[in-house]
């Protein structure tokens, strides 16, 4: 259809569509609809969502992962429209490989993951067809272990998100690593959270309240922190 034609033409080597007489076209058997690589489509009958990878594969994905690839309303197709595509594969997250490099797709933009730290991010990256990568337009914006949203900064540790409390703590942790890359609030919300290893006592805290907050016991907190009393001081680090 016209929308797919607009998406497909830039991927054709010559960039020019040949015009054939109708009698020539009538001699060619009709196949399934052509869908542009990198399109995200929703099947009318099942509700399943697929990323069209190249010209022959559809990778099933969740609605959450689909939102990482596009903010646009998903194109609805029928099961018959996908009959020419292998739909056995899945893309269970927005971590992909293009041209031998690993990327994190956020708000439709593939961000380049540092080679030495890419495995710290969740899931296994899926290699995509060259035409899909061409359409996605990977960037050179680098992402290491640190990300930011607004003024909040986080570190990725073993596939989980660890909040960084202060600017001084961020500076100390960063060293000469890749600075925090700006990412969407959706990505921050989606990443599994790492339980904190310390807690700063605030006003009106009691040992019992802290124990309940972190699903532990006062006895465990006393032992771990070598406490002789349940009385806490504001600013105390547990």
């Amino acid at each position: 259809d016209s929308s797919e034609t607009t998406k497909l033409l830039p991927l054709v080597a010559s960039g020019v569509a040949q015009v054939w007489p109708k009698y020539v076209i009538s001699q060619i058997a009709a196949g399934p609809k052509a869908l542009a690589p990198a399109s995200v489509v929703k099947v009318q009958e099942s509700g399943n969502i697929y990323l069209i990878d190249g010209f022959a594969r559809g990778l099933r994905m969740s609605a959450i992962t689909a939102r990482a690839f596009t903010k646009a309303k998903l194109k609805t197709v029928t099961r018959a429209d996908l009959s020419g595509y292998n739909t056995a594969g899945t893309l269970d997250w927005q971590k992909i490989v293009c041209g031998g490099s690993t990327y994190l797709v956020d708000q439709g933009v593939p961000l380049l993951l540092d080679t030495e730290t890419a495995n710290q991010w969740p899931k296994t990256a899926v290699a995509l067809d060259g035409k899909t990568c061409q359409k996605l337009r990977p960037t050179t914006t680098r992402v290491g272990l640190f990300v930011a949203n607004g003024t909040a900064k986080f570190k990725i540790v073993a596939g989980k998100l660890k909040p960084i409390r202060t600017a001084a703590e961020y500076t100390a942790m960063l060293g000469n690593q890749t600075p925090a890359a700006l990412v969407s609030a959706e990505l921050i919300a989606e990443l599994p959270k790492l339980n904190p290893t310390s807690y700063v006592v605030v006003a009106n805290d009691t040992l019992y309240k802290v124990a309940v907050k972190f699903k532990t016991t006062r006895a465990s907190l006393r032992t771990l922190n070598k406490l002789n009393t349940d009385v806490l001081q504001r600013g105390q680090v547990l």
Side-chain angles (χ1 to χ4, degrees):
D1 60 29
S2 59
S3 65
E4 296 305 312
T5 299
T6 302
K7 297 175 186 176
L8 283 164
L9 280 179
L11 300 177
V12 179
S14 65
V16 178
Q18 293 186 0
V19 180
W20 290 353
K22 288 185 177 180
Y23 76 87
V24 174
I25 295 176
S26 67
Q27 303 304 308
I28 304 173
K33 281 187 178 179
L35 298 170
S39 294
V40 181
V41 300
K42 184 174 184 178
V43 179
Q44 181 177 327
E45 293 90 342
S46 64
N48 292 341
I49 299 172
Y50 294 90
L51 173 72
I52 301 303
D53 184 34
F55 294 110
R57 184 165 75 150
L59 296 172
R60 187 171 174 181
M61 63 201 319
S62 69
I64 292 176
T65 302
R67 285 197 292 272
F69 280 81
T70 179
K71 291 291 184 182
K73 183 179 180 181
L74 300 185
K75 182 184 182 76
T76 300
V77 299
T78 65
R79 188 182 292 112
D81 293 334
L82 290 179
S83 62
Y85 292 85
N86 180 351
T87 56
T90 60
L91 180 62
D92 60 356
W93 205 54
Q94 57 234 57
K95 190 176 174 183
I96 62 172
V97 174
C98 282
S101 297
T102 305
Y103 295 86
L104 177 71
V105 181
D106 186 34
Q107 295 188 310
V109 179
L111 308 172
L112 181 62
L113 287 175
D114 285 345
T115 303
E116 63 274 14
T117 59
N119 61 355
Q120 289 289 323
W121 285 80
K123 308 293 184 179
T124 301
V126 175
L128 299 183
D129 183 272
K131 292 297 184 184
T132 306
C133 294
Q134 181 182 339
K135 199 75 174 70
L136 287 173
R137 297 178 182 175
T139 69
T140 56
T141 302
R142 301 190 70 86
V143 180
L145 295 179
F146 297 88
V147 292
N149 181 259
T151 58
K153 290 183 173 62
F154 308 85
K155 183 179 182 181
I156 303 298
V157 180
K160 294 184 178 180
L161 198 67
K162 179 180 181 179
I164 300 175
R165 293 175 302 215
T166 65
E169 186 177 87
Y170 166 69
T171 301
M173 294 172 69
L174 180 64
N176 60 359
Q177 301 178 74
T178 301
L182 290 174
V183 297
S184 67
E186 289 84 355
L187 176 61
I188 296 297
E190 181 188 344
L191 285 165
K193 307 301 185 288
L194 183 71
N195 288 331
T197 56
S198 63
Y199 174 73
V200 180
V201 175
V202 298
N204 300 318
D205 265 345
T206 65
L207 197 64
Y208 173 74
K209 286 182 180 179
V210 175
V212 170
K213 180 180 181 70
F214 293 99
K215 298 180 174 61
T216 184
T217 64
R218 284 182 293 177
S220 294
L221 290 178
R222 287 192 208 101
T223 300
L224 288 169
N225 293 277
K226 299 180 175 59
L227 299 176
N228 296 318
T229 175
D230 284 5
V231 177
L232 301 177
Q233 303 297 323
R234 183 176 180 177
Q236 181 179 353
V237 178
L238 298 177

